[in-house]
Amino acid sequence: MDWLTGIQNAINYIEDHLTEEIDFAAAAREAACSPFYLQRIFSLLCGMTMGDYIRSRRLSLAGDELSTTGCRVGDIAAKYGYESPESFARAFSRFHGITPTEARRDGSNLKYFFRLTVKIALRGGAAMNYKIVEQDAIDIIERPEVQKRDDAVSIPSIQEYWARAHRSGMVRKLFDLSPDKSKIFGICYGNLSTTPGFFEYAIAAAADKSTPLPEGFRRSRLPARTWAVFECRGPIPDAMQEMWEMIVSEFFPTSGYQPTYEMDVEAYPPGDRSRADYCSEIWVPVKKKI
């Protein structure tokens, strides 16, 4: 399935179910990816979280109904998923700037939030350094943590995990275990979680099977894949967030590749990650578009 077609299919599913509880797994199936990757890509591609989009569309449609029908406020609140007229009124006032009662008056100023249609908007002037690499499987030692899924671009708990890993000496230990000591990895297993709403994120290093396994770590393997490897130059996490936006909005819509949605990998060399010239990488497993 085409990259943009899948995301549009997911948006269409959401629009068809705005008056119901949204089944994010079903929406993700429409996009042929996992709920984690759907929410992540939506946020990067559309400039808002999926939750914000759903709330805005529901409140927009609710305002239209209040101003054009005689339906009771409580009935409209329930239709759009609010547990009480009071909670609906608070959300409605924040969005529209007026109360539901005021919305019934002729000439009331209501906001309308339009349905999204995904289109390519090409932007010039930005360089993207990447390469396509056929990589054999890599044996690794990793320490994973379970993270709560968030549809924002950056998940604060991951940054906090890295801060703890640096303070505890875990990052230094992983560099020491790595045969060439050139990089360690941050691995997002966003498509492999069996627990809805959660995923694993691991900090890891390449290490052959003869390397002693430290307590609290596990052995794993990055699979042999075709990887799109993107260079990120600048302080972390800003450089990676900016590159992710380019990957999602420019590379995949216009290239001959699409992601496999299995995982993605951050590669960090030793050095000061706050420096303007720090050079990290994003690895995304890809396949040729059909």
mmCIF file of all heavy atoms in Angstrom, residues 37 40 131 133-138 140 180 182-188 206 222-223 225-232 240 243-244 247 252 259-260 262-269 280-286:
data_model
loop_
_atom_site.group_PDB
_atom_site.id
_atom_site.type_symbol
_atom_site.label_atom_id
_atom_site.label_comp_id
_atom_site.label_asym_id
_atom_site.label_seq_id
_atom_site.Cartn_x
_atom_site.Cartn_y
_atom_site.Cartn_z
ATOM 1 N N TYR A 37 3.091 3.081 15.397
ATOM 2 C CA TYR A 37 3.620 3.805 14.249
ATOM 3 C C TYR A 37 2.577 4.717 13.614
ATOM 4 O O TYR A 37 2.909 5.784 13.093
ATOM 5 C CB TYR A 37 4.201 2.839 13.223
ATOM 6 C CG TYR A 37 5.608 2.426 13.581
ATOM 7 C CD1 TYR A 37 5.892 1.146 14.023
ATOM 8 C CD2 TYR A 37 6.649 3.341 13.516
ATOM 9 C CE1 TYR A 37 7.179 0.781 14.382
ATOM 10 C CE2 TYR A 37 7.932 2.989 13.870
ATOM 11 C CZ TYR A 37 8.195 1.703 14.297
ATOM 12 O OH TYR A 37 9.473 1.350 14.670
ATOM 13 N N ARG A 40 2.592 7.829 15.757
ATOM 14 C CA ARG A 40 3.854 8.542 15.592
ATOM 15 C C ARG A 40 3.906 9.257 14.242
ATOM 16 O O ARG A 40 4.271 10.435 14.148
ATOM 17 C CB ARG A 40 5.012 7.554 15.708
ATOM 18 C CG ARG A 40 6.375 8.207 15.700
ATOM 19 C CD ARG A 40 7.452 7.158 15.787
ATOM 20 N NE ARG A 40 8.706 7.704 16.280
ATOM 21 C CZ ARG A 40 9.836 7.018 16.371
ATOM 22 N NH1 ARG A 40 9.848 5.747 16.017
ATOM 23 N NH2 ARG A 40 10.936 7.568 16.817
ATOM 24 N N LYS A 131 21.686 6.908 3.137
ATOM 25 C CA LYS A 131 22.176 5.833 2.284
ATOM 26 C C LYS A 131 21.301 4.611 2.505
ATOM 27 O O LYS A 131 20.687 4.452 3.572
ATOM 28 C CB LYS A 131 23.639 5.515 2.597
ATOM 29 C CG LYS A 131 23.910 5.176 4.053
ATOM 30 C CD LYS A 131 25.411 5.084 4.330
ATOM 31 C CE LYS A 131 25.668 4.865 5.828
ATOM 32 N NZ LYS A 131 27.108 4.836 6.143
ATOM 33 N N VAL A 133 21.393 0.650 2.873
ATOM 34 C CA VAL A 133 22.408 -0.322 3.265
ATOM 35 C C VAL A 133 21.783 -1.709 3.387
ATOM 36 O O VAL A 133 20.756 -1.879 4.064
ATOM 37 C CB VAL A 133 23.049 0.073 4.615
ATOM 38 C CG1 VAL A 133 24.068 -0.967 5.050
ATOM 39 C CG2 VAL A 133 23.687 1.448 4.518
ATOM 40 N N GLU A 134 22.395 -2.690 2.751
ATOM 41 C CA GLU A 134 22.028 -4.094 2.964
ATOM 42 C C GLU A 134 22.892 -4.603 4.110
ATOM 43 O O GLU A 134 24.093 -4.800 3.957
ATOM 44 C CB GLU A 134 22.277 -4.907 1.698
ATOM 45 C CG GLU A 134 21.455 -4.474 0.500
ATOM 46 C CD GLU A 134 19.979 -4.783 0.635
ATOM 47 O OE1 GLU A 134 19.623 -5.656 1.475
ATOM 48 O OE2 GLU A 134 19.185 -4.155 -0.074
ATOM 49 N N GLN A 135 22.293 -4.793 5.276
ATOM 50 C CA GLN A 135 23.051 -5.100 6.488
ATOM 51 C C GLN A 135 22.757 -6.520 6.970
ATOM 52 O O GLN A 135 21.592 -6.910 7.099
ATOM 53 C CB GLN A 135 22.689 -4.092 7.589
ATOM 54 C CG GLN A 135 23.305 -4.352 8.950
ATOM 55 C CD GLN A 135 24.811 -4.197 8.916
ATOM 56 O OE1 GLN A 135 25.336 -3.159 8.535
ATOM 57 N NE2 GLN A 135 25.511 -5.250 9.308
ATOM 58 N N ASP A 136 23.822 -7.293 7.222
ATOM 59 C CA ASP A 136 23.643 -8.599 7.853
ATOM 60 C C ASP A 136 23.127 -8.415 9.276
ATOM 61 O O ASP A 136 23.196 -7.324 9.851
ATOM 62 C CB ASP A 136 24.966 -9.350 7.881
ATOM 63 C CG ASP A 136 25.450 -9.739 6.492
ATOM 64 O OD1 ASP A 136 24.606 -9.838 5.577
ATOM 65 O OD2 ASP A 136 26.676 -9.906 6.320
ATOM 66 N N ALA A 137 22.625 -9.491 9.848
ATOM 67 C CA ALA A 137 22.137 -9.446 11.224
ATOM 68 C C ALA A 137 23.264 -9.045 12.176
ATOM 69 O O ALA A 137 24.432 -9.390 11.956
ATOM 70 C CB ALA A 137 21.564 -10.799 11.627
ATOM 71 N N ILE A 138 22.916 -8.304 13.225
ATOM 72 C CA ILE A 138 23.889 -7.834 14.212
ATOM 73 C C ILE A 138 23.490 -8.375 15.582
ATOM 74 O O ILE A 138 22.383 -8.108 16.062
ATOM 75 C CB ILE A 138 23.933 -6.294 14.266
ATOM 76 C CG1 ILE A 138 24.285 -5.711 12.891
ATOM 77 C CG2 ILE A 138 24.920 -5.820 15.325
ATOM 78 C CD1 ILE A 138 24.193 -4.193 12.837
ATOM 79 N N ILE A 140 23.410 -8.315 19.477
ATOM 80 C CA ILE A 140 23.478 -7.200 20.411
ATOM 81 C C ILE A 140 23.218 -7.665 21.842
ATOM 82 O O ILE A 140 22.658 -8.735 22.078
ATOM 83 C CB ILE A 140 22.459 -6.089 20.064
ATOM 84 C CG1 ILE A 140 21.014 -6.632 20.099
ATOM 85 C CG2 ILE A 140 22.773 -5.456 18.718
ATOM 86 C CD1 ILE A 140 19.953 -5.566 19.937
ATOM 87 N N ASP A 180 34.006 -2.519 18.377
ATOM 88 C CA ASP A 180 34.746 -1.391 17.813
ATOM 89 C C ASP A 180 34.524 -0.085 18.576
ATOM 90 O O ASP A 180 35.146 0.929 18.258
ATOM 91 C CB ASP A 180 34.381 -1.193 16.339
ATOM 92 C CG ASP A 180 32.908 -0.879 16.128
ATOM 93 O OD1 ASP A 180 32.178 -0.690 17.121
ATOM 94 O OD2 ASP A 180 32.488 -0.821 14.958
ATOM 95 N N SER A 182 32.382 2.065 18.474
ATOM 96 C CA SER A 182 32.061 3.195 17.602
ATOM 97 C C SER A 182 30.670 3.755 17.824
ATOM 98 O O SER A 182 30.410 4.924 17.497
ATOM 99 C CB SER A 182 32.193 2.776 16.136
ATOM 100 O OG SER A 182 31.249 1.765 15.816
ATOM 101 N N LYS A 183 29.766 2.946 18.361
ATOM 102 C CA LYS A 183 28.393 3.421 18.537
ATOM 103 C C LYS A 183 27.629 2.512 19.485
ATOM 104 O O LYS A 183 27.993 1.336 19.678
ATOM 105 C CB LYS A 183 27.658 3.489 17.199
ATOM 106 C CG LYS A 183 27.458 2.124 16.534
ATOM 107 C CD LYS A 183 26.670 2.218 15.248
ATOM 108 C CE LYS A 183 27.437 2.830 14.120
ATOM 109 N NZ LYS A 183 28.515 1.970 13.608
ATOM 110 N N ILE A 184 26.596 3.065 20.105
ATOM 111 C CA ILE A 184 25.585 2.262 20.783
ATOM 112 C C ILE A 184 24.230 2.638 20.200
ATOM 113 O O ILE A 184 24.113 3.625 19.463
ATOM 114 C CB ILE A 184 25.598 2.457 22.323
ATOM 115 C CG1 ILE A 184 25.311 3.900 22.701
ATOM 116 C CG2 ILE A 184 26.905 1.976 22.906
ATOM 117 C CD1 ILE A 184 25.120 4.073 24.205
ATOM 118 N N PHE A 185 23.226 1.829 20.519
ATOM 119 C CA PHE A 185 21.934 1.966 19.856
ATOM 120 C C PHE A 185 20.810 2.288 20.849
ATOM 121 O O PHE A 185 20.835 1.861 21.999
ATOM 122 C CB PHE A 185 21.562 0.659 19.142
ATOM 123 C CG PHE A 185 22.573 0.195 18.142
ATOM 124 C CD1 PHE A 185 23.293 -0.977 18.346
ATOM 125 C CD2 PHE A 185 22.807 0.912 16.983
ATOM 126 C CE1 PHE A 185 24.220 -1.423 17.429
ATOM 127 C CE2 PHE A 185 23.742 0.481 16.058
ATOM 128 C CZ PHE A 185 24.449 -0.696 16.273
ATOM 129 N N GLY A 186 19.832 3.019 20.347
ATOM 130 C CA GLY A 186 18.524 3.112 20.981
ATOM 131 C C GLY A 186 17.540 2.448 20.044
ATOM 132 O O GLY A 186 17.417 2.855 18.876
ATOM 133 N N ILE A 187 16.859 1.406 20.499
ATOM 134 C CA ILE A 187 16.016 0.598 19.613
ATOM 135 C C ILE A 187 14.561 0.702 20.064
ATOM 136 O O ILE A 187 14.230 0.386 21.213
ATOM 137 C CB ILE A 187 16.452 -0.874 19.616
ATOM 138 C CG1 ILE A 187 17.940 -0.980 19.261
ATOM 139 C CG2 ILE A 187 15.616 -1.682 18.638
ATOM 140 C CD1 ILE A 187 18.515 -2.372 19.450
ATOM 141 N N CYS A 188 13.720 1.141 19.150
ATOM 142 C CA CYS A 188 12.287 1.258 19.420
ATOM 143 C C CYS A 188 11.569 0.074 18.791
ATOM 144 O O CYS A 188 11.491 -0.034 17.573
ATOM 145 C CB CYS A 188 11.759 2.576 18.856
ATOM 146 S SG CYS A 188 9.999 2.784 19.086
ATOM 147 N N ALA A 206 26.373 -3.565 19.939
ATOM 148 C CA ALA A 206 26.760 -4.780 19.229
ATOM 149 C C ALA A 206 27.726 -5.575 20.094
ATOM 150 O O ALA A 206 28.622 -5.019 20.728
ATOM 151 C CB ALA A 206 27.418 -4.418 17.899
ATOM 152 N N LEU A 222 19.617 -7.534 15.848
ATOM 153 C CA LEU A 222 19.016 -6.715 14.809
ATOM 154 C C LEU A 222 18.976 -7.556 13.544
ATOM 155 O O LEU A 222 20.006 -8.063 13.098
ATOM 156 C CB LEU A 222 19.834 -5.441 14.572
ATOM 157 C CG LEU A 222 19.872 -4.420 15.715
ATOM 158 C CD1 LEU A 222 20.728 -3.217 15.316
ATOM 159 C CD2 LEU A 222 18.469 -3.961 16.072
ATOM 160 N N PRO A 223 17.808 -7.745 12.949
ATOM 161 C CA PRO A 223 17.703 -8.679 11.823
ATOM 162 C C PRO A 223 18.397 -8.160 10.576
ATOM 163 O O PRO A 223 18.613 -6.955 10.407
ATOM 164 C CB PRO A 223 16.183 -8.771 11.608
ATOM 165 C CG PRO A 223 15.645 -7.474 12.115
ATOM 166 C CD PRO A 223 16.516 -7.110 13.281
ATOM 167 N N ARG A 225 18.470 -6.815 7.209
ATOM 168 C CA ARG A 225 17.448 -6.027 6.533
ATOM 169 C C ARG A 225 18.094 -5.044 5.564
ATOM 170 O O ARG A 225 19.301 -4.794 5.597
ATOM 171 C CB ARG A 225 16.608 -5.216 7.542
ATOM 172 C CG ARG A 225 15.674 -6.012 8.417
ATOM 173 C CD ARG A 225 14.528 -6.603 7.622
ATOM 174 N NE ARG A 225 13.583 -7.283 8.507
ATOM 175 C CZ ARG A 225 13.654 -8.558 8.862
ATOM 176 N NH1 ARG A 225 14.679 -9.306 8.427
ATOM 177 N NH2 ARG A 225 12.750 -9.090 9.653
ATOM 178 N N THR A 226 17.268 -4.476 4.716
ATOM 179 C CA THR A 226 17.637 -3.280 3.979
ATOM 180 C C THR A 226 17.280 -2.094 4.859
ATOM 181 O O THR A 226 16.127 -1.948 5.281
ATOM 182 C CB THR A 226 16.883 -3.185 2.646
ATOM 183 O OG1 THR A 226 17.155 -4.334 1.857
ATOM 184 C CG2 THR A 226 17.279 -1.926 1.888
ATOM 185 N N TRP A 227 18.283 -1.268 5.162
ATOM 186 C CA TRP A 227 18.063 -0.130 6.061
ATOM 187 C C TRP A 227 18.266 1.179 5.301
ATOM 188 O O TRP A 227 19.216 1.317 4.527
ATOM 189 C CB TRP A 227 19.057 -0.159 7.230
ATOM 190 C CG TRP A 227 18.956 -1.353 8.118
ATOM 191 C CD1 TRP A 227 19.567 -2.553 7.954
ATOM 192 C CD2 TRP A 227 18.199 -1.456 9.334
ATOM 193 N NE1 TRP A 227 19.250 -3.409 8.980
ATOM 194 C CE2 TRP A 227 18.406 -2.762 9.845
ATOM 195 C CE3 TRP A 227 17.379 -0.579 10.041
ATOM 196 C CZ2 TRP A 227 17.822 -3.203 11.030
ATOM 197 C CZ3 TRP A 227 16.787 -1.014 11.218
ATOM 198 C CH2 TRP A 227 16.999 -2.311 11.698
ATOM 199 N N ALA A 228 17.371 2.127 5.528
ATOM 200 C CA ALA A 228 17.630 3.511 5.135
ATOM 201 C C ALA A 228 18.288 4.175 6.339
ATOM 202 O O ALA A 228 17.713 4.202 7.437
ATOM 203 C CB ALA A 228 16.336 4.226 4.769
ATOM 204 N N VAL A 229 19.505 4.661 6.155
ATOM 205 C CA VAL A 229 20.294 5.236 7.243
ATOM 206 C C VAL A 229 20.410 6.745 7.007
ATOM 207 O O VAL A 229 20.945 7.176 5.988
ATOM 208 C CB VAL A 229 21.687 4.589 7.314
ATOM 209 C CG1 VAL A 229 22.505 5.216 8.439
ATOM 210 C CG2 VAL A 229 21.559 3.079 7.522
ATOM 211 N N PHE A 230 19.894 7.520 7.963
ATOM 212 C CA PHE A 230 19.842 8.973 7.824
ATOM 213 C C PHE A 230 20.800 9.621 8.816
ATOM 214 O O PHE A 230 20.787 9.302 10.008
ATOM 215 C CB PHE A 230 18.425 9.484 8.093
ATOM 216 C CG PHE A 230 17.381 8.893 7.187
ATOM 217 C CD1 PHE A 230 16.741 7.702 7.527
ATOM 218 C CD2 PHE A 230 17.046 9.519 5.997
ATOM 219 C CE1 PHE A 230 15.781 7.149 6.698
ATOM 220 C CE2 PHE A 230 16.084 8.972 5.153
ATOM 221 C CZ PHE A 230 15.455 7.787 5.502
ATOM 222 N N GLU A 231 21.603 10.554 8.327
ATOM 223 C CA GLU A 231 22.540 11.274 9.187
ATOM 224 C C GLU A 231 21.825 12.434 9.881
ATOM 225 O O GLU A 231 21.126 13.225 9.241
ATOM 226 C CB GLU A 231 23.694 11.813 8.344
ATOM 227 C CG GLU A 231 24.722 12.590 9.140
ATOM 228 C CD GLU A 231 25.788 13.191 8.251
ATOM 229 O OE1 GLU A 231 26.581 12.408 7.672
ATOM 230 O OE2 GLU A 231 25.830 14.432 8.129
ATOM 231 N N CYS A 232 22.012 12.525 11.184
ATOM 232 C CA CYS A 232 21.434 13.608 11.988
ATOM 233 C C CYS A 232 22.588 14.417 12.575
ATOM 234 O O CYS A 232 23.343 13.891 13.403
ATOM 235 C CB CYS A 232 20.567 13.067 13.117
ATOM 236 S SG CYS A 232 19.296 11.909 12.608
ATOM 237 N N MET A 240 17.372 14.693 15.939
ATOM 238 C CA MET A 240 16.633 13.493 15.528
ATOM 239 C C MET A 240 15.168 13.816 15.260
ATOM 240 O O MET A 240 14.566 13.276 14.319
ATOM 241 C CB MET A 240 16.757 12.417 16.591
ATOM 242 C CG MET A 240 18.098 11.728 16.580
ATOM 243 S SD MET A 240 17.987 10.023 17.105
ATOM 244 C CE MET A 240 19.585 9.421 16.555
ATOM 245 N N MET A 243 14.950 15.382 11.876
ATOM 246 C CA MET A 243 15.156 14.412 10.810
ATOM 247 C C MET A 243 13.935 13.516 10.649
ATOM 248 O O MET A 243 13.550 13.176 9.520
ATOM 249 C CB MET A 243 16.413 13.582 11.080
ATOM 250 C CG MET A 243 16.724 12.549 9.991
ATOM 251 S SD MET A 243 16.799 13.250 8.307
ATOM 252 C CE MET A 243 18.237 14.312 8.463
ATOM 253 N N TRP A 244 13.316 13.107 11.754
ATOM 254 C CA TRP A 244 12.118 12.283 11.653
ATOM 255 C C TRP A 244 11.029 13.006 10.865
ATOM 256 O O TRP A 244 10.307 12.393 10.063
ATOM 257 C CB TRP A 244 11.591 11.899 13.040
ATOM 258 C CG TRP A 244 12.068 10.569 13.516
ATOM 259 C CD1 TRP A 244 12.841 10.292 14.603
ATOM 260 C CD2 TRP A 244 11.801 9.297 12.911
ATOM 261 N NE1 TRP A 244 13.078 8.949 14.705
ATOM 262 C CE2 TRP A 244 12.446 8.311 13.689
ATOM 263 C CE3 TRP A 244 11.085 8.905 11.787
ATOM 264 C CZ2 TRP A 244 12.387 6.962 13.368
ATOM 265 C CZ3 TRP A 244 11.030 7.551 11.465
ATOM 266 C CH2 TRP A 244 11.675 6.601 12.254
ATOM 267 N N ILE A 247 11.940 12.675 7.268
ATOM 268 C CA ILE A 247 11.770 11.298 6.801
ATOM 269 C C ILE A 247 10.311 11.021 6.463
ATOM 270 O O ILE A 247 9.972 10.467 5.407
ATOM 271 C CB ILE A 247 12.276 10.302 7.862
ATOM 272 C CG1 ILE A 247 13.802 10.376 7.993
ATOM 273 C CG2 ILE A 247 11.847 8.874 7.519
ATOM 274 C CD1 ILE A 247 14.353 9.626 9.200
ATOM 275 N N PHE A 252 9.723 9.364 2.592
ATOM 276 C CA PHE A 252 8.850 8.245 2.245
ATOM 277 C C PHE A 252 7.768 8.602 1.222
ATOM 278 O O PHE A 252 7.453 7.783 0.353
ATOM 279 C CB PHE A 252 8.239 7.627 3.507
ATOM 280 C CG PHE A 252 9.202 6.728 4.229
ATOM 281 C CD1 PHE A 252 9.493 6.930 5.569
ATOM 282 C CD2 PHE A 252 9.831 5.690 3.580
ATOM 283 C CE1 PHE A 252 10.398 6.121 6.240
ATOM 284 C CE2 PHE A 252 10.743 4.859 4.241
ATOM 285 C CZ PHE A 252 11.015 5.080 5.578
ATOM 286 N N PRO A 259 8.604 2.026 4.805
ATOM 287 C CA PRO A 259 9.092 1.331 6.000
ATOM 288 C C PRO A 259 8.421 -0.017 6.175
ATOM 289 O O PRO A 259 7.301 -0.235 5.718
ATOM 290 C CB PRO A 259 8.712 2.289 7.140
ATOM 291 C CG PRO A 259 7.519 3.021 6.613
ATOM 292 C CD PRO A 259 7.738 3.167 5.138
ATOM 293 N N THR A 260 9.104 -0.930 6.850
ATOM 294 C CA THR A 260 8.503 -2.224 7.172
ATOM 295 C C THR A 260 7.734 -2.183 8.481
ATOM 296 O O THR A 260 7.021 -3.124 8.805
ATOM 297 C CB THR A 260 9.588 -3.310 7.280
ATOM 298 O OG1 THR A 260 10.435 -3.024 8.412
ATOM 299 C CG2 THR A 260 10.427 -3.382 6.015
ATOM 300 N N GLU A 262 8.724 -2.528 11.494
ATOM 301 C CA GLU A 262 9.127 -3.497 12.508
ATOM 302 C C GLU A 262 9.720 -2.819 13.738
ATOM 303 O O GLU A 262 9.391 -3.153 14.872
ATOM 304 C CB GLU A 262 10.172 -4.445 11.937
ATOM 305 C CG GLU A 262 9.687 -5.287 10.787
ATOM 306 C CD GLU A 262 10.846 -5.946 10.072
ATOM 307 O OE1 GLU A 262 11.412 -5.348 9.145
ATOM 308 O OE2 GLU A 262 11.190 -7.080 10.467
ATOM 309 N N MET A 263 10.629 -1.904 13.504
ATOM 310 C CA MET A 263 11.366 -1.232 14.569
ATOM 311 C C MET A 263 12.078 -0.054 13.932
ATOM 312 O O MET A 263 12.084 0.091 12.698
ATOM 313 C CB MET A 263 12.393 -2.170 15.207
ATOM 314 C CG MET A 263 13.473 -2.626 14.229
ATOM 315 S SD MET A 263 14.711 -3.717 14.949
ATOM 316 C CE MET A 263 13.723 -5.185 15.223
ATOM 317 N N ASP A 264 12.658 0.797 14.720
ATOM 318 C CA ASP A 264 13.616 1.767 14.201
ATOM 319 C C ASP A 264 14.741 1.903 15.209
ATOM 320 O O ASP A 264 14.576 1.618 16.397
ATOM 321 C CB ASP A 264 12.972 3.120 13.866
ATOM 322 C CG ASP A 264 12.125 3.668 14.984
ATOM 323 O OD1 ASP A 264 12.700 4.155 15.975
ATOM 324 O OD2 ASP A 264 10.886 3.641 14.872
ATOM 325 N N VAL A 265 15.900 2.317 14.721
ATOM 326 C CA VAL A 265 17.126 2.289 15.508
ATOM 327 C C VAL A 265 17.802 3.649 15.461
ATOM 328 O O VAL A 265 17.920 4.255 14.394
ATOM 329 C CB VAL A 265 18.091 1.204 14.980
ATOM 330 C CG1 VAL A 265 19.387 1.192 15.795
ATOM 331 C CG2 VAL A 265 17.426 -0.176 15.003
ATOM 332 N N GLU A 266 18.239 4.118 16.627
ATOM 333 C CA GLU A 266 19.074 5.312 16.708
ATOM 334 C C GLU A 266 20.503 4.844 16.982
ATOM 335 O O GLU A 266 20.709 3.990 17.850
ATOM 336 C CB GLU A 266 18.603 6.217 17.851
ATOM 337 C CG GLU A 266 17.123 6.592 17.780
ATOM 338 C CD GLU A 266 16.518 6.781 19.163
ATOM 339 O OE1 GLU A 266 17.259 6.726 20.163
ATOM 340 O OE2 GLU A 266 15.293 6.985 19.234
ATOM 341 N N ALA A 267 21.455 5.389 16.257
ATOM 342 C CA ALA A 267 22.862 5.015 16.443
ATOM 343 C C ALA A 267 23.627 6.230 16.951
ATOM 344 O O ALA A 267 23.632 7.283 16.306
ATOM 345 C CB ALA A 267 23.459 4.518 15.129
ATOM 346 N N TYR A 268 24.261 6.061 18.129
ATOM 347 C CA TYR A 268 24.950 7.169 18.788
ATOM 348 C C TYR A 268 26.442 6.857 18.924
ATOM 349 O O TYR A 268 26.812 5.879 19.587
ATOM 350 C CB TYR A 268 24.375 7.399 20.184
ATOM 351 C CG TYR A 268 22.928 7.805 20.204
ATOM 352 C CD1 TYR A 268 21.933 6.881 20.562
ATOM 353 C CD2 TYR A 268 22.546 9.103 19.895
ATOM 354 C CE1 TYR A 268 20.601 7.250 20.597
ATOM 355 C CE2 TYR A 268 21.217 9.481 19.935
ATOM 356 C CZ TYR A 268 20.247 8.553 20.281
ATOM 357 O OH TYR A 268 18.921 8.924 20.317
ATOM 358 N N PRO A 269 27.317 7.676 18.329
ATOM 359 C CA PRO A 269 28.749 7.527 18.577
ATOM 360 C C PRO A 269 29.113 8.144 19.920
ATOM 361 O O PRO A 269 28.308 8.886 20.510
ATOM 362 C CB PRO A 269 29.383 8.314 17.424
ATOM 363 C CG PRO A 269 28.385 9.380 17.125
ATOM 364 C CD PRO A 269 27.025 8.752 17.368
ATOM 365 N N SER A 280 24.720 11.756 14.744
ATOM 366 C CA SER A 280 24.058 10.486 15.047
ATOM 367 C C SER A 280 23.338 9.987 13.800
ATOM 368 O O SER A 280 23.394 10.627 12.744
ATOM 369 C CB SER A 280 23.068 10.670 16.208
ATOM 370 O OG SER A 280 22.152 11.716 15.918
ATOM 371 N N GLU A 281 22.663 8.850 13.912
ATOM 372 C CA GLU A 281 21.975 8.276 12.751
ATOM 373 C C GLU A 281 20.625 7.698 13.166
ATOM 374 O O GLU A 281 20.441 7.236 14.292
ATOM 375 C CB GLU A 281 22.814 7.160 12.125
ATOM 376 C CG GLU A 281 24.109 7.613 11.489
ATOM 377 C CD GLU A 281 24.935 6.453 10.977
ATOM 378 O OE1 GLU A 281 24.777 5.307 11.492
ATOM 379 O OE2 GLU A 281 25.742 6.678 10.071
ATOM 380 N N ILE A 282 19.710 7.686 12.226
ATOM 381 C CA ILE A 282 18.441 6.964 12.339
ATOM 382 C C ILE A 282 18.454 5.855 11.305
ATOM 383 O O ILE A 282 18.716 6.107 10.119
ATOM 384 C CB ILE A 282 17.235 7.895 12.100
ATOM 385 C CG1 ILE A 282 17.123 8.946 13.210
ATOM 386 C CG2 ILE A 282 15.939 7.081 12.019
ATOM 387 C CD1 ILE A 282 16.063 10.011 12.951
ATOM 388 N N TRP A 283 18.200 4.624 11.748
ATOM 389 C CA TRP A 283 18.110 3.474 10.853
ATOM 390 C C TRP A 283 16.651 3.020 10.771
ATOM 391 O O TRP A 283 16.036 2.723 11.798
ATOM 392 C CB TRP A 283 18.929 2.299 11.359
ATOM 393 C CG TRP A 283 20.415 2.523 11.502
ATOM 394 C CD1 TRP A 283 21.105 3.701 11.401
ATOM 395 C CD2 TRP A 283 21.397 1.507 11.783
ATOM 396 N NE1 TRP A 283 22.434 3.498 11.598
ATOM 397 C CE2 TRP A 283 22.645 2.159 11.839
ATOM 398 C CE3 TRP A 283 21.334 0.136 11.993
ATOM 399 C CZ2 TRP A 283 23.829 1.469 12.111
ATOM 400 C CZ3 TRP A 283 22.499 -0.560 12.251
ATOM 401 C CH2 TRP A 283 23.742 0.106 12.307
ATOM 402 N N VAL A 284 16.129 2.951 9.573
ATOM 403 C CA VAL A 284 14.744 2.500 9.374
ATOM 404 C C VAL A 284 14.749 1.322 8.408
ATOM 405 O O VAL A 284 15.228 1.461 7.269
ATOM 406 C CB VAL A 284 13.858 3.628 8.810
ATOM 407 C CG1 VAL A 284 12.410 3.147 8.696
ATOM 408 C CG2 VAL A 284 13.936 4.872 9.684
ATOM 409 N N PRO A 285 14.227 0.152 8.802
ATOM 410 C CA PRO A 285 14.150 -0.954 7.856
ATOM 411 C C PRO A 285 13.122 -0.641 6.769
ATOM 412 O O PRO A 285 12.007 -0.182 7.053
ATOM 413 C CB PRO A 285 13.706 -2.141 8.714
ATOM 414 C CG PRO A 285 13.035 -1.529 9.900
ATOM 415 C CD PRO A 285 13.689 -0.205 10.127
ATOM 416 N N VAL A 286 13.510 -0.860 5.509
ATOM 417 C CA VAL A 286 12.652 -0.466 4.391
ATOM 418 C C VAL A 286 12.523 -1.603 3.368
ATOM 419 O O VAL A 286 13.285 -2.574 3.400
ATOM 420 C CB VAL A 286 13.218 0.795 3.677
ATOM 421 C CG1 VAL A 286 13.212 1.993 4.599
ATOM 422 C CG2 VAL A 286 14.622 0.531 3.121
#
